[in-house]
Amino acid sequence: MAYLVIARKWRPKTFSEVVGQQHVTITLENAIKNNRIASAYLFSGPRGVGKTTTARILAKALNCETGPTVTPCNTCVPCKEISEGRSMDVLEIDGASNRGIDEIRSLRESTRYTPSSLRFKIYIIDEVHMLTTEAFNALLKTLEEPPPHVKFIFATTEVNKVPATILSRCQRFDFRRIPVEKIVEQLQTICEAENIKIDREALYLIAKKSEGCMRDSQSLLDQVISFSGNEIKEADVISLLGMIDHDLYFEISQAIADKNLAELAQIAQRIYDQGYDTNDLITGLIEHFHNLLIMKSTGATDHLVAAQGQLKQYEQETARFGETDLIRIVQLLTETAAAIKRSVNPHIQFETLLFRLARLPRSTELQQLLDDLQELKKKAQPRTIVTERPGFKFIPEIAADRLTGSLFSKINDLSQKGYAGIASEREEVPTSGQYPPVELRDIQEKWPAILAAVKKRKIHFGALLEEGKPARIQDNNKLDIVFEDGNGYHIHTLNENKKLIESAIHEVVGKKVFVYCYQSSQIPVAAEPQPEPAMVAEAPAPEPAAQQAAPAPDPVAATPEPEPAPREAPATAPASQGHRWLEDNPLAQKIIESLGGEPIER
Amino acid sequence: MNATEITFDGIFGQETAKRFLAQAFRQGRLAHCYLFFGPEGVGKLATALAFARALVCQSEQQRPCGTCRNCKLFVARSHPNVQVIFPHPKSAKESDVQAVLEEIFSQPYIWHSPWASPSISIDEVRSLRRELGLSSQGGEIRVILFLDAHLMTAEATNALLKTLEEPPELTYFVLISSSPDQLLPTILSRSQQVRFSFLSVQEITAGLARFTDLPEDRRRQIARFAQGSLRRALALAGENVQQLREQAVELLRAAFRNAPQRAMHVTQLVQQHDRRVLMEILESLLHWLRDAHYLRLGLGDDQPSVGYEDRETLQRFNERFADFDFDSAIAEVDLSIHMLRRYVQPNLVLSVLLNHLRRCEKHANSTEKLRRMAL
């Protein structure tokens, strides 16, 4: 005899062998025990969970020589006949191919006659949802009041296609999907009986893939056995069923975290070579990143849908992503899933998707960007903010300029260290006097060479510097470079990287120069420094002012009541004359120096 | 156990599938229903035919032997126990159906349905069931192949369910489908599923060598472009792939010209070519962009699916458009192909596409630019 597939060979023969449908089998058993058997049953549920099987067992239970019994003997003539499908009185009809009204009419005719040899005449109509409307309607009267010797059993996967009038005349049993553990147990039993060695992990994979359907799992088991013989490893199952090894997802997420495009390209090629289905892959990837996200936000592994062995891997992987990153990755994946489904070139699309995921800016980067934008915004509102107290005033453009970047921390340092700290820091900062003086003409003549030297160091800065002009030398070697208005980006970038320019100048001119860049409107014309209009202070009270300004990094917040610069207020003293109170107050000096302020005196 | 071996000659690639079937046969564990699934034109039909032939062959050693009565009958297409059911319209002429059947047997890699929307009807399944009710010719193995099984009507599929679950003895079914997700889950659960994957560039090149007399470099170029499908490669064999690539580059160039020139280019293209050719050009553009992207990343040299035969052009493009956003460009081209397939006006599709491609340069890496500005 030809080989019989497991699903057929292991078809249950008694109620107790039916796996995972206790709610159905127990009810049926009790009905038989109490002699309360309905005239029509409807079995519904997904494919391969035991509907047809239960129908046959019920037919045997009712007709067994020893019965009606809950345990058909499977040895008597009626049982055997029913099992082999050749009983005259148990008719198994394929609803899908005998779906017309004519078939149902002849069926109705035959119900009139008593069974030829058995107790009951039983009609099992499988795939009943395929009957035509007329056929269903022709059945209604018979179904409502059948002769006592007739029982109907309907089985269907699509109960929604069965008319309500039919449903209300039947006892309906909904078969459930079978839990993974139960499937594994059953497969284990089969394997033991068939003398097959198989890993428990492999059984799990099969059970999971079969989505709660016993027949699917048995077909898969059959398939695996015929592929690898009597000894089955987890890897065999993975390769045969075209399952995607979970390690692949981890490889992908690692490469994304590393932004390693070359690795991703190789993974994409491998996926192509192995013929994986891109839709499966995307679904798997979404699940994978979803797991990472859950892990990240709950900090626990309780809610993950993953095998025990992967939990550790998940824990490690989670650390490499931010929560918002994961959310965005999952979002992009779900959005692109549809596009890949309809794509003509799913593999190219999938590969592009991987690149895109790797290129997504990380949330930390975006935060930085937002902060920078905030600064930009402040810069865009030029307001002269003047401290009410005497002491000094800010030139906001310059202050904002200098504030971006590392100065926050510097000021914080200052406020913490207090005077003593500043005093010592000042000594470390070389004063300009220690270096030989530099001529402006010198710089101007050698400007092209300086530009070239800067470009050699970093071409980008060279290009920026080209826009500027060396404007003046102050205090022997402080070089001011002036830019046209609107070059805020140039100025900012160059001021951030002064050291590079200074070293380039040193290389060309041979002297130490301190560089600072300005917008041309920000500073007084180079030739004759003019005093800026300033608010007149009432009394020199430098200490409170300094203390107030120092701890707060934000210039706006530092000034209690900002006022517009009063243009009419005359300057009382030129800036260059020096301020006595300032000399006693190193903190104020430092603040002026770093924030671009200007001393005022009555 | 079975001492007999089966071999699959003339089938390109698909090692896993071939090994699986040979193993199942050797172990005497053949299932009564297989579903061969996988992309178009990768050899499902060819494998199924070879499998059917091996099953009916009478040799005790190596199957197919080519000498036994059954092998000869099979070659003559007159084996009574091998049936091929394929979708065709009800109104199709008997002679046409026979001609197609002949093509299926003789050129399984090239065959494609000549009808617009064929299907497998319930009548066909019913008559099959009637036949299966009788015993097979000579009491031998029977093999029934269903081509494009997903094109069965819902009624036909359901009518097949009971038969697939418990077929008569010595009867084997092979369902073939490139879209198994369109099949009923009840069908899937009754069959053993055999996955067929894309063919590699090398395998397609070998296939082209067998069926055409193209020179080696052309074969490789076509193979890269064929998306893993030998059928597609063979269909492309008659076309000038190089020219398609050049037209694709022309299209890309047009994207960066001024509006009237763009409109002109689109109009000319649409006038000169039909929808199918336009789709080929866009496919070509897709590959070209991918090649350029790989060149930019410096990755493609060991990738068989990437080709740099016009490296200079690729290079120049990358130099000129240093910020080009390949990711969205590729997505856009793909979407355009999809729309052409869905019969959206070619004029519209191409104009929109060109605009998008322009923007891929302008708005490239906007976060990157923002960052630079903000610093």
Coordinates of all heavy atoms in Angstrom, one line a residue, chain A residues 2 41 47 52 182 232 285 308 316 319 323 328 341 399 470 499 502 529 543 559 564:
Chain A
A2 N 0.4 2.3 -0.6 CA 1.1 3.5 -0.8 C 1.3 4.2 0.6 O 0.5 3.9 1.5 CB 0.5 4.4 -1.7
Y41 N -26.1 19.2 13.6 CA -24.9 19.9 14.2 C -24.2 20.7 13.2 O -24.1 20.3 12.0 CB -24.0 18.9 14.8 CG -24.5 18.2 16.1 CD1 -25.0 16.9 16.0 CD2 -24.4 18.8 17.3 CE1 -25.5 16.3 17.1 CE2 -24.8 18.2 18.4 CZ -25.4 16.9 18.4 OH -25.9 16.3 19.5
R47 N -9.2 25.7 9.4 CA -8.9 24.4 8.8 C -8.0 23.6 9.7 O -7.2 24.1 10.5 CB -8.2 24.7 7.5 CG -6.7 24.9 7.5 CD -6.3 26.4 7.7 NE -4.9 26.4 7.9 CZ -4.2 27.5 8.2 NH1 -4.9 28.7 8.4 NH2 -2.9 27.5 8.4
T52 N -14.0 17.6 10.6 CA -14.4 16.4 9.9 C -14.2 15.2 10.8 O -15.1 14.3 10.8 CB -13.7 16.3 8.6 OG1 -13.8 17.6 7.9 CG2 -14.3 15.2 7.7
K182 N 0.0 22.0 23.0 CA -0.8 20.8 22.7 C -0.3 20.2 21.4 O -0.2 19.0 21.2 CB -2.3 21.1 22.6 CG -2.8 21.5 23.9 CD -4.0 20.7 24.3 CE -4.4 20.8 25.7 NZ -5.6 21.5 26.0
I232 N 16.0 14.7 13.1 CA 15.7 16.0 12.6 C 16.2 17.1 13.6 O 16.1 17.0 14.8 CB 14.2 16.2 12.5 CG1 13.7 15.2 11.5 CG2 13.8 17.6 12.1 CD1 12.2 14.9 11.6
L285 N 10.6 41.6 10.7 CA 11.4 42.8 11.2 C 10.6 43.7 12.1 O 11.0 44.2 13.1 CB 11.9 43.6 10.0 CG 13.3 43.4 9.5 CD1 13.7 44.4 8.5 CD2 14.3 43.4 10.7
Q308 N 13.0 31.7 24.8 CA 13.7 32.0 26.0 C 15.2 32.4 25.7 O 15.7 33.3 26.2 CB 13.7 30.8 26.9 CG 13.9 31.1 28.4 CD 12.8 32.0 28.9 OE1 11.6 31.9 28.5 NE2 13.1 32.9 29.8
Q316 N 20.6 42.9 25.2 CA 21.8 43.6 24.8 C 21.5 44.6 23.6 O 22.0 45.7 23.6 CB 22.8 42.6 24.3 CG 23.5 41.8 25.4 CD 24.2 40.6 24.9 OE1 24.2 40.3 23.7 NE2 24.8 39.8 25.8
A319 N 19.9 48.2 24.3 CA 20.8 49.3 24.7 C 21.3 50.1 23.6 O 21.7 51.3 23.8 CB 21.9 48.7 25.5
E323 N 14.4 55.1 22.5 CA 13.0 54.7 22.4 C 12.4 55.4 21.1 O 11.7 54.7 20.3 CB 12.3 55.1 23.6 CG 10.9 54.6 23.7 CD 10.2 54.8 25.0 OE1 10.9 55.2 25.9 OE2 9.0 54.5 25.1
R328 N 10.3 55.2 15.5 CA 10.4 55.7 14.1 C 10.7 54.6 13.2 O 10.3 54.5 12.0 CB 11.4 56.9 14.0 CG 10.7 58.1 14.5 CD 11.5 59.4 14.5 NE 12.9 59.2 14.7 CZ 13.8 59.6 13.8 NH1 13.4 60.3 12.8 NH2 15.1 59.4 14.0
K341 N 5.1 45.4 -0.9 CA 4.1 44.4 -1.3 C 3.7 44.6 -2.7 O 3.6 43.6 -3.5 CB 2.9 44.4 -0.4 CG 2.2 43.1 -0.2 CD 1.2 43.1 0.9 CE 1.2 41.8 1.6 NZ 0.6 41.8 2.9
A399 N 26.8 87.8 22.1 CA 26.6 86.9 23.2 C 26.0 85.6 22.8 O 26.5 84.5 23.1 CB 25.6 87.6 24.2
P470 N 40.6 90.3 6.9 CA 41.2 90.7 8.2 C 41.0 92.2 8.4 O 41.4 93.0 7.5 CB 42.7 90.3 8.0 CG 42.8 90.2 6.5 CD 41.5 89.9 5.9
K499 N 41.3 77.8 16.8 CA 42.6 77.2 17.0 C 43.2 76.8 15.7 O 44.4 77.0 15.4 CB 42.5 75.9 17.9 CG 42.2 76.2 19.3 CD 43.4 75.8 20.2 CE 43.4 76.5 21.5 NZ 42.2 76.3 22.3
E502 N 44.2 79.9 13.9 CA 45.4 80.5 14.6 C 46.7 79.7 14.2 O 47.7 80.3 14.0 CB 45.1 80.5 16.1 CG 44.2 81.6 16.4 CD 43.6 81.5 17.9 OE1 44.0 80.5 18.6 OE2 42.8 82.3 18.2
P529 N 37.4 103.1 16.8 CA 36.4 102.5 17.7 C 35.5 103.5 18.3 O 36.0 104.4 19.0 CB 37.3 101.7 18.7 CG 38.7 102.3 18.6 CD 38.8 102.9 17.2
E543 N 29.2 93.6 42.1 CA 29.2 92.2 42.6 C 27.8 91.5 42.4 O 27.7 90.5 41.9 CB 29.6 92.2 44.1 CG 31.0 91.7 44.2 CD 31.5 91.7 45.7 OE1 30.8 90.9 46.4 OE2 32.4 92.3 46.0
T559 N 19.0 88.8 32.7 CA 18.7 90.2 33.0 C 17.3 90.2 33.5 O 16.3 89.8 32.8 CB 18.8 91.0 31.6 OG1 18.0 90.3 30.7 CG2 20.2 91.0 31.2
P564 N 14.7 97.9 25.9 CA 15.3 98.3 24.6 C 16.4 99.3 24.8 O 16.3 100.1 25.7 CB 14.1 98.9 23.8 CG 13.1 99.2 24.8 CD 13.3 98.3 25.9

